[in-house]
Structures are given as structure tokens and as C-alpha cells.
Amino acid sequence: MNTANFPWLTTIILFPIAASLLIPFIPDKDGKTVRWYSLIIGLIDFALIVIAFYTGYDFSNPDLQLFESYSWLPQIGLNWSVGADGLSMPLIILTGFITTLAMLAAWPVTLKPKLFYFLILAMYGGQIAVFAVQDMLLFFLVWELELVPIYILLSIWGGKKRQYAATKFILYTAGGSLFILLAGLTMAFFGDTITFDMQAIAAKSFSLNLQLWLYAAFLIAYAVKLPIFPLHTWLPDAHGEATAPVHMLLAGVLLKMGGYALIRMNAQMLPDAHAYFAPVLVILGIVNIIYAALTSFAQRNLKRKIAYSSISHMGFVAIGIASFTDLGLNGAMLQMVSHGLIGASLFFLVGATYDRTHTLMLDEMGGVGKKMSKMFAMWTTCSMASLALPGMSGFVAELMVFVGFATSDAYNPTFKVIVVLLMAVGVILTPIYLLSMLREIFYGEENKELVSHQKLIDAEPREIFIIACLLIPIIGIGLYPKMLTQMYDATTVQLTTRLRNSLPALAGQKAPAVSFNAPKIGN
């Protein structure tokens, strides 16, 4: 088979969606057959992603690769157009990895298993499509595709307040999507040519005033998904009611859609407006880091504590995007992948802990580390990754954003000093609330009432395997970040050059020569 001409991305997107349509016809009473079927489909699709990556992706090429374009609805100019570059390929791999593990994490699901796995597989293809499509109208359609599955997953398999959380999720995200549609149609119909092709749209000459309005519209939509304060409040509620596999998809994939779109459309397609909005992104990122860290510290519900921790960490993505340096933008990309892995691991452990203790309140836990030593070890390791312990991916990502912004010549020194100090405060707050959380769950005197009413079984082999699969790339990237940064370095350098040219003071200048591609940090 000639792999160079094989429609890899189309197959990767449509295969799990097509496979999900067969689930209603699978004879299965207790859900055992359908879960094995779904896991096998997930593994096959992830294998296709890896094969496509190794056979058709060139690290040194900053442009679109694995490109496919087919006329779909020529009457309205809609094409099935997909491709991958340095911004999308790492997130496509992350999506396949996290979604496959989420299906394994869903092993205990017994309520309506056919519907559950149908929704997971349908989301699998839809999420990959968000990172791959190169047509503005098609992007909006696949962006909307994941809203309904998440809404149903929350409203049927969620906790006591699942209907409230699901409704809030759909209102926030669907409301934000309207801004994508309006801004996208404006860009498509602008000028003499009507086109939905993203590359053609990016080549159009928009006036600065129009760019500013378009940028603001996209920013509102993607600030909901990232999420950025004050459009973040749906996330703690959604996480507070979700099950472990849905947690993993929310933290590991869905939040990254916002960061990716912010880079792809706001920064890449509207560079002149980005020069004006970049300081706003920096300020919003700082608010995210400090506010969410303080709020996480005050939470007594374990799910909401980790949810606010996610919001805090995503603030580094906004700052990296606004840094105008190769290193800062590389750090933002690395932070998205790193947080996807770490967030998925922590939320999986939250679900596993709840299955044993049947409580999420920290006040009702205490001393369970005596009976669940393996769970204690996994919680400790994943928490160390989240608080950016050297040798793990979180440390490298946050350090790159720190240094990238600190060395940026796009901001005056006073502003940079203030931002860096506030980022440092956020980094200090993170270990405080994470270590105190570990102390309240596992240390101290054993809660006699909890132990007498609940059977505290230690981690099962399936749970250990899932955490091990997540920790391997977390530690691997932490020790050797080049294994990831080389995927997108050429693309981010090209994008940074374009962004710097949008600032008259920086036009034609290279970004500060600071690189963390090669060193093995944490050795």
C-alpha cells in the first residue's frame, strides 16, 4: 500500500464514528462485549494515528502535512479539508491516547453501556476533527459535535446535580460557539472571494478595526473552552458531577480545544489584532493562575479542588501565546499536552478514590493511606507532576513560559517583572493546596467511621496500568522535552516570526535566542 497517498486523517476521524453506529446492533446484555469492542476500536484508531505520524509527518516542515481536500457541498463552498501541522499533530496524538485510556477507565460503567460507549466513540472522531479540519465552516460543525455527547454523558451518568451541570455546560459552550459562527462567516464573506478555506482566509487583508472585532469574538468563544476567567464557572460544576472517564476527556482534551483555537485563529489568522490583545491575554492568564489557585485552596470538594487547579494551570497557556517568543509559544503548546496528561491522571484518581470512599469531602477522609498504599503512591506521584516537580513535564512547560515571557522584548521591563512575580506566586500556591490535599486524604489518624462503613480496597491492576501509561510520557517529556517540542518547533518559530512582524517595534527582528529543545531537564 502506498502510505503517502492514503487518506490517514479522514480514516482516523471517520473510523470511530462509523464504528459507533454499529454498537446498537451488538448483542450484549451486561455491557462486557461492547466495552471490549469500543476499546479495540480505540486502540486501532490510536495505532492509525501513530502510523500516520511516523510515515507522513516531517518535523522540519512548518506547513500542513497529511493534507486532504474533497468537495462536499460545492453549492455553499463547503469542503472536507483536513491536515496536520505542528499545532495540531501533538494534540491529535494526545486525543487518541487520552480517549483510549478513558474507555479503559470506563470499565465499571453498567448503566446504559451501549449509549455510553457510542457517545465516547462519536466524540473520539469529533475531537480529532477539531484539530485537523482546515475549513472554517467544517471547523464550526465539528466544534459543535462534542457538545451533545458531553451534555448527555453529564446528564445521565453524572452526580446529584448533573442536570444543572449539563445545562450550564451546554449554555456556556453553545453560547460561545455563536461567536465562532458569526466571526467565521464574516471572514469567509469578506472581500471579493467567498471561501471557507482557512489558509485562503488567513491570506485576506482585513482592516485593523475588523480584526479587532473578529479577535474579540473568537476570544470570547475560546475563553469559555480554555477556560479563562470570568467565563470559567461551567468547568467546576461539570467536573463536580462527571464520572472518571468524562473527567479525563474534559481535562485531557476539551480544554485543549480552546488553547489550540486561540493559537490557530486568533494568533495565526489575526496577527495585527493579536498585537493589541496580547497584554489582555497576559493579564487574564495571571488572573487565572492566582484566582483559581486561591479558590482551589479553599475548596473542600475533591473534584472542585482539582477542577480549579486545571483552570490555574491553563493560565500559563494564555501567557505563552502572548509572549511573542519562540520559547513562550513552545511552552504554551507543551503546557497543553502536559496538562492533558496530568489532569487526566488526577481526575481518574479522584474517580477511583470516590468509588472506594463514596465521599468527595476532604473533611470526611483522613488516614486512608494505611489501607490504600498503592493509591497513595499514585496520588503522590501525579500531584508532584501537577505542582511542577523538576523531572516531570509540568516543570518544563511552566519554565519555558516563564523564561519565554521574561526574555520577551515586546513588553516594557516593569510589566514583565510584575507578571513574572505574579506567576511565581501562582507556582508557590500550587504545592500548598496539593500537598494539603494529600495530607487530608492519606495522612493523619484514620477516620474510623469511613473505614467501618466502606471497604477500602487498594488499586487494581487496571487502575495501575492507566496511571502508568500516563506517567510514562509525563516523566519522559520532563526528562527529555525535545521528544515533544521537535513536533511543533518549526511551526511555532514560523508563527512567532509572523506575530513579531505585526509589531512595528519588532518587525524583522528574531525572537530572543533562548532554547530548551535539547537539554534533559531533571536529570
Side-chain angles (χ1 to χ4, degrees), residues 218-234:
F218 282 135
L219 180 59
I220 292 171
Y222 304 141
V224 171
K225 191 73 78 175
L226 192 59
I228 294 176
F229 177 91
L231 302 175
H232 68 286
T233 57
W234 65 270

Side-chain angles (χ1 to χ4, degrees), residues 43-101:
L43 288 170
I44 292 172
D45 207 53
F46 182 61
L48 289 173
I49 294 172
V50 174
I51 294 170
F53 173 70
Y54 276 106
T55 59
Y57 188 81
D58 178 10
F59 292 154
S60 62
N61 185 357
D63 301 319
L64 283 177
Q65 303 176 56
L66 301 169
F67 185 75
E68 307 161 32
S69 184
Y70 311 99
S71 180
W72 190 5
L73 291 174
Q75 293 84 353
I76 61 172
L78 178 60
N79 296 319
W80 176 265
S81 180
V82 292
D85 60 6
L87 300 179
S88 51
M89 197 67 204
L91 298 175
I92 290 173
I93 296 172
L94 177 71
T95 301
F97 185 63
I98 296 296
T99 309
T100 304
L101 288 178

Side-chain angles (χ1 to χ4, degrees), residues 186-450:
T186 301
M187 297 173 77
F189 283 88
F190 179 85
D192 299 329
T193 312
I194 300 175
T195 178
F196 293 104
D197 181 78
M198 288 185 179
Q199 290 180 301
I201 289 174
K204 290 186 176 183
S205 298
F206 301 103
S207 66
L208 178 59
N209 285 337
L210 180 57
Q211 279 201 42
L212 293 172
W213 282 107
L214 293 171
Y215 195 105
F218 282 135
L219 180 59
I220 292 171
Y222 304 141
V224 171
K225 191 73 78 175
L226 192 59
I228 294 176
F229 177 91
L231 302 175
H232 68 286
T233 57
W234 65 270
L235 183 67
D237 291 314
H239 271 307
E241 304 303 321
T243 55
V246 180
H247 280 311
M248 295 174 71
L249 294 175
L250 281 170
V253 181
L254 263 71
L255 303 190
K256 312 308 169 285
M257 290 164 57
Y260 164 79
L262 200 60
I263 300 173
R264 173 71 73 192
M265 295 189 183
N266 289 60
Q268 190 174 58
M269 302 176 74
L270 303 167
D272 295 333
H274 184 71
Y276 286 83
F277 273 94
V280 177
L281 276 180
V282 172
I283 294 170
L284 290 174
I286 287 296
V287 172
N288 257 41
I289 293 170
I290 302 295
Y291 158 78
L294 291 172
T295 308
S296 179
F297 184 76
Q299 296 298 311
R300 306 306 300 158
N301 181 294
L302 188 55
K303 286 185 177 181
R304 295 181 69 89
K305 182 179 280 288
I306 303 298
Y308 276 105
S309 173
S310 290
I311 296 171
S312 178
H313 284 97
M314 295 309 288
F316 286 96
V317 175
I319 295 172
I321 295 171
S323 66
F324 289 95
T325 62
D326 302 338
L327 190 61
L329 188 55
N330 278 359
M333 284 293 301
L334 185 58
Q335 177 72 345
M336 284 196 285
V337 176
S338 171
H339 179 266
L341 298 167
I342 296 170
S345 67
L346 286 174
F347 277 114
F348 172 73
L349 289 174
V350 169
T353 304
Y354 177 76
D355 289 341
R356 290 159 170 79
T357 62
H358 296 282
T359 181
L360 292 169
M361 304 309 295
L362 291 171
D363 298 332
E364 298 173 6
M365 298 184 188
V368 299
K370 297 176 182 178
K371 294 188 179 296
M372 299 192 300
S373 57
K374 294 176 184 175
M375 289 289 293
F376 175 37
M378 293 191 297
W379 260 108
T380 302
T381 306
C382 294
S383 296
M384 293 299 111
S386 184
L387 61 81
L389 184 75
M392 295 188 174
S393 59
F395 171 76
V396 184
E398 293 182 11
L399 180 62
M400 289 174 74
V401 174
F402 258 102
V403 179
F405 184 81
T407 57
S408 175
D409 48 2
Y411 301 95
N412 68 60
T414 304
F415 182 73
K416 287 197 296 184
V417 168
I418 294 172
V419 170
V420 169
L421 287 176
L422 291 175
M423 279 197 288
V425 171
V427 172
I428 294 170
L429 290 174
T430 304
I432 294 176
Y433 64 73
L434 285 175
L435 294 177
S436 65
M437 175 192 72
L438 289 177
R439 174 180 54 79
E440 291 186 89
I441 299 173
F442 296 104
Y443 289 90
E445 189 174 343
E446 194 173 71
N447 186 329
K448 301 296 183 183
E449 185 177 353
L450 177 66

